[in-house]
Every structure is written in C-alpha cells, then in structure tokens.
C-alpha cells in the first residue's frame, strides 16, 4: 500500500470541531483566506506520515507574526507544528502540548493570547486523537486480535501498510505477513534489511486502531507458506512482556507510547530506573528527537553536548540492570545516581563494554530528569580521566 499524507483526517476533525462550536471560520468570499495556517501532527520531525488541518481563523496569522517574543527556557519536544506560507518560504513553528507556540530557529516563545493558545490546543488535541492509536493493555488487545485474525499494520513514520496474521503468542502477538507482497512492504519499512529495531505502529482490527510496537526480524516458528518470510515477528502492546524473561521490554513500551501520541506523559511519569532504561532504549533506536524529554533544559550546554555524543552511537544495550548507587537518604527523595553496565558501539568501531553512571533529580513538576552521565562521552586518547556530561545549570 502506498505511502500518503493523511489529509482526510484533518477534514474529519474540522467537521467535528465545527459541530462542537469550536471553529470560527473567516467570512466566506469565494477566495482563500489570507489568515490560513496549516496545523500538522506527525510522530517525529522526520516522519513522512502526517495529519494536516487547515485553520482559517481571522486574525490568527497576524497574531502569530505580531506576537511579542521571549527567549524560551525550554523548547518542547512535540509532534505538533504550525506552518505559514509566505512567498517562497514556509515559516514553521512548534506547538507544545499546552498550545503555546515556539520558534525553534530563534529559541523563542511567542506570547499569544490565552484565547489563541486554548484554541490551538483544542484543535491540536483533536487532530492528534485521529492520528494515533488507542493505548490498550495487552489483555484487551488480545481479545480483539485473536488467533488467526488478519490485521492491517501501519508504520507510523512512513505510512506504509501491510497485512499480518496472528499465529501465536501468549504474552504478546506472534504474527506473520500474509503474502509475499506484504513481506515486501514490511521489508521496505526496514530499508530492505531485517532488523530487531523496534518501530511504532498502528494495528487495525475491524473498526479498532491500537497503538503498538514491532521489530523486523524473522525468527522462530513459521506457518504461512509462500509468504517469503521464514518465521514470525513480534508485536507488543501496552504492558505486554517477552515470552522468555516475562518482563516488559523498554524499547517496545517506548514505541507503544509513541504510537499512542502520549510519549511526553509516559516519560514524565517514569521512576529513575525506568527513565534510564528508556533513555538507553531511545539512544539505541536512534530516536534522538526524544532525548529532550529526559532532561530539564533543552537549551543547556549539557543537552547540546549530549546530542553530539549520541549522534555516532550505532548501538547501546544494557548488560546489567541499573541499580541505585550510594545516595544519602535525605537526598534520595529528589536526587539519585544509577550505575549501569552497557555495550556501546559507535559507527565504524567495535562494540565495547562501559560503565555509565547517570545522575538524576526531580524537576519543578516532580518528574525525574537526567542531569549527568559519566562515561558516555569519548575521552581523549591516552587520557585516564572519565568523560562526564554534566548539567551546569545553564
């Protein structure tokens, strides 16, 4: 099935908001309104699959262009954007979960009125609801996606779709592409190279659309002849576990929440060990845009150095589970250190074992964030000093 831009969803949302009395379209005059802007929802900055909605509100464009700008303390990690076309150049702004608007190029927040902020939040929430899948527990999903059921799987980044059949799986779904054509499409999603890397997907079963995660590696038992896929692959849902360890897979759970559009609240609700596990998962999956969710200041030198360090990381896997380090009891309520053994592989280099020590504290909202990582950066040749990435409060 061909990749396409998801414009029709935006039209459906617009009709819903009109019926709810939320829309205030400019007066019809047979011409396109000069105050039209495009609201876009997509799962990552590089995603091809996106939902768009044209907003024709009188005064919106002038409100954006005339807004007072202040330096932003934090640029949001978001899946929502506003685009204004001006001649040959598009102006693109980020929209936070709260409806506030930011110019990422200048690092500034636009001071819009409460009316515009609330309206943008309503429309963005409505569009996002249609773009993503339902976040449901595996116990519920397995009752809908029964054995031998054929479902449609859609990759959230590319929009590519293929059919798959659930063949087995007690703790998550073991599935196989139905035909050779389905296998061909699935392999395109993985750039024509099978991989264990997890990807955010939507699973459609009749009229239900579930948030899920898959990997792309044929393994284990087979069951569908002549489909060009030797074995099965796994699909995970909320709180599903692996068949071997009977534990949740941090990479799959990260992608499940990405597929639900609730990644921000998921990361913000993690405890320190879960946060470190999810950070390592994000780096391993090359989901670099997510990393701003794990820190308290995306404008800091710590974050910029962190982005530089992970850019060349090809693989980052845990060898041992993270455990709390030596921390005073009175400090453990707001700060903690977590050491973890990892296998790190940079592009063009051999994999090496390293010990990373994560420093974490609670931010003003009470969420755990990473403020320091010892051992991740590359130390100069011959140096015995540990490389330390640290938030210096800038």
């Amino acid at each position: 099935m061909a990749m396409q831009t998801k414009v029709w969803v935006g039209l459906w949302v617009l009709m819903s908001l009109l019926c709810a009395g939320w829309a205030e379209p400019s007066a019809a005059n047979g011409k396109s309104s000069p105050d039209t802007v495009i609201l876009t929802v997509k799962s990552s900055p590089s995603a091809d699959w996106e939902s768009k909605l044209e907003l024709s509100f009188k005064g919106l464009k002038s409100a954006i262009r005339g807004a007072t700008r202040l330096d932003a303390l934090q640029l949001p990690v978001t899946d929502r954007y506003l685009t204004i076309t001006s001649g040959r150049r598009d102006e693109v702004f980020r929209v936070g979960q709260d409806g506030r608007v930011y110019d990422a190029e200048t690092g500034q927040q636009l001071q819009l009125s409460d009316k515009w902020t609330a309206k943008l939040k309503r429309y963005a929430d409505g569009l996002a609801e249609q773009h993503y899948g339902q976040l449901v527990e595996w116990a519920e999903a397995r009752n809908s996606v029964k054995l031998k059921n054929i479902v449609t799987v859609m990759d959230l980044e590319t929009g590519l779709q293929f059919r798959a059949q659930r063949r087995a799986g007690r703790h998550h779904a073991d599935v196989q592409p139905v035909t050779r054509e389905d296998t061909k499409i699935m392999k395109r999603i993985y750039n024509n190279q099978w991989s264990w890397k997890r990807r955010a997907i939507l699973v459609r079963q009749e009229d239900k659309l579930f948030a899920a995660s898959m990997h792309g590696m044929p393994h284990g038992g087979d069951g569908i002849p002549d489909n060009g896929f030797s074995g099965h692959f796994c699909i995970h849902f909320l709180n599903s576990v692996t068949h071997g360890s009977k534990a949740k897979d941090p990479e799959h759970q990260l992608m499940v929440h990405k597929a639900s559009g609730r990644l921000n609240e998921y990361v913000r609700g993690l405890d320190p060990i879960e946060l470190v596990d999810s950070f390592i998962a994000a780096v391993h999956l090359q989901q670099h845009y997510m990393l701003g969710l794990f820190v308290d200041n995306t404008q800091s030198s710590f974050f910029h150095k962190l982005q530089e360090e992970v850019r060349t990381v090809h693989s980052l896997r845990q060898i041992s589970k993270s455990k709390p380090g030596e921390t005073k009891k009175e400090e453990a309520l707001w700060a903690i250190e977590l050491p973890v053994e990892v296998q790190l592989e940079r592009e063009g280099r051999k994999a090496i074992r390293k010990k990373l020590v994560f420093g974490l504290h609670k931010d003003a909202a009470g969420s755990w964030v990473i403020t320091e990582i010892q051992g991740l950066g590359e130390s100069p040749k011959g140096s015995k000093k540990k490389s330390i990435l640290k938030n210096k409060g800038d």
Side-chain angles (χ1 to χ4, degrees):
M1 300 182 185
M3 179 172 57
Q4 53 186 316
T5 301
K6 196 175 177 185
V7 177
W8 59 270
V9 166
L11 299 176
W12 186 93
V13 172
L14 179 58
M15 292 303 297
S16 300
L17 297 177
L18 280 167
C19 292
W22 288 348
E24 298 173 12
S26 56
N29 57 9
K31 298 180 180 179
S32 176
S33 168
D35 294 307
T36 298
V37 298
I38 302 296
L39 176 65
T40 301
V41 171
K42 54 183 181 178
S43 58
S44 77
S46 60
D48 292 315
W49 179 255
E50 56 188 20
S51 296
K52 291 188 174 184
L53 179 63
E54 186 175 289
L55 301 180
S56 299
F57 299 130
K58 186 177 181 180
L60 177 56
K61 183 186 289 187
S62 58
I64 292 173
R65 287 183 167 162
T68 301
R69 295 173 175 238
L70 298 177
D71 290 339
L73 297 177
Q74 174 88 336
L75 287 176
V77 177
T78 186
D79 56 355
R80 305 163 185 207
Y81 304 87
L82 277 178
T83 303
I84 301 177
T85 301
S86 177
R88 297 180 180 179
R89 181 177 179 270
D90 288 346
E91 296 177 90
V92 181
F93 302 90
R94 293 188 193 181
V95 181
Q97 300 287 320
D98 56 5
R100 295 179 180 177
V101 178
Y102 300 80
D103 186 335
E105 288 188 5
T106 63
Q108 295 176 316
Q109 179 185 336
L110 281 62
Q111 303 297 297
L112 295 177
S113 68
D114 291 344
K115 180 193 78 169
W116 285 123
T117 300
K119 183 167 291 190
L120 289 173
K121 174 176 167 52
R122 286 197 300 267
Y123 276 83
D125 287 347
L127 191 58
E129 185 177 349
Q130 301 306 311
H131 187 79
Y132 296 107
Q134 290 179 273
L135 188 63
V136 298
E137 296 274 351
W138 165 236
E140 179 181 344
R142 69 184 297 180
N143 289 330
S144 295
V145 184
K146 302 179 185 297
L147 290 175
K148 302 300 176 67
N149 276 173
I150 293 178
V151 299
T152 298
V153 175
M154 190 192 81
D155 179 62
L156 203 57
E157 289 287 300
T158 64
L160 291 173
Q161 305 178 39
F162 64 94
R163 293 178 305 151
Q165 184 182 53
R166 182 184 171 202
R167 303 290 299 184
R170 181 179 180 184
H171 301 297
H172 60 258
D174 291 339
V175 300
Q176 297 175 41
V178 177
T179 67
R180 284 184 175 274
E181 182 60 26
D182 292 312
T183 297
K184 183 178 178 181
I185 294 171
M186 181 181 176
K187 198 167 186 178
R188 279 180 59 197
I189 291 172
Y190 280 93
N191 295 316
N192 295 315
Q193 187 173 0
W194 296 126
S195 170
W196 288 106
K197 292 289 179 74
R198 281 60 163 152
R199 294 183 70 95
I201 60 171
L202 303 181
V203 175
R204 183 177 293 281
Q205 168 63 14
E206 296 179 345
D207 61 341
K208 295 180 179 178
L209 193 65
F210 299 124
S213 169
M214 73 174 183
H215 65 67
M217 180 61 72
H219 69 287
D222 203 346
I224 300 179
D226 300 323
N227 68 345
F229 195 90
S230 181
H232 66 271
F233 68 98
C234 302
I235 292 181
H236 281 246
F237 297 83
L238 178 64
N239 293 330
S240 58
V241 298
T242 65
H243 289 136
S245 68
K246 305 296 188 297
K248 289 187 287 187
D249 182 293
E251 294 178 15
H252 274 307
Q253 292 305 308
L254 196 66
M255 292 294 101
V256 168
H257 284 85
K258 174 179 175 177
S260 72
R262 297 168 67 176
L263 189 61
N264 293 50
E265 61 183 273
Y266 171 65
V267 173
R268 287 304 185 185
L270 296 175
D271 66 33
I273 292 177
E274 292 170 335
L275 190 74
V276 169
D277 290 348
S278 295
F279 173 86
I280 292 173
V283 173
H284 178 70
L285 296 173
Q286 277 89 48
Q287 301 288 301
H288 297 158
Y289 78 95
M290 289 184 184
L291 299 184
L293 297 173
F294 295 86
V295 303
D296 62 354
N297 186 357
T298 56
Q299 303 283 63
S300 66
S301 60
F302 163 69
F303 182 64
H304 294 314
K305 290 177 182 177
L306 175 61
Q307 288 180 304
E308 288 296 321
E309 288 295 340
V310 303
R311 193 163 293 158
T312 59
V313 175
H314 175 71
S315 174
L316 183 65
R317 306 303 298 264
Q318 287 198 54
I319 298 173
S320 65
K321 291 291 290 183
S322 50
K323 296 179 181 179
E326 293 295 326
T327 308
K328 295 180 181 179
K329 287 185 178 180
E330 61 269 23
E331 291 179 345
L333 296 175
W334 61 272
I336 195 169
E337 279 193 350
L338 290 176
V340 57
E341 294 286 336
V342 301
Q343 179 175 286
L344 184 151
E345 181 183 351
R346 294 187 182 274
E347 294 175 358
R349 302 188 187 184
K350 293 182 179 180
I352 59 174
R353 291 176 65 124
K354 297 194 76 170
K355 178 182 178 181
L356 303 183
V357 180
F358 290 81
L360 304 94
H361 73 215
K362 284 188 176 181
D363 64 11
S367 297
W368 287 99
V369 292
I370 296 172
T371 57
E372 180 181 354
I373 306 176
Q374 298 180 30
L376 180 61
E378 295 187 273
S379 299
K381 282 189 176 182
S383 173
K384 295 183 179 181
K385 291 184 178 180
K386 291 183 178 179
S387 58
I388 300 177
L389 296 177
K390 187 172 184 178
N391 192 342
K392 298 180 180 179
D394 57 348

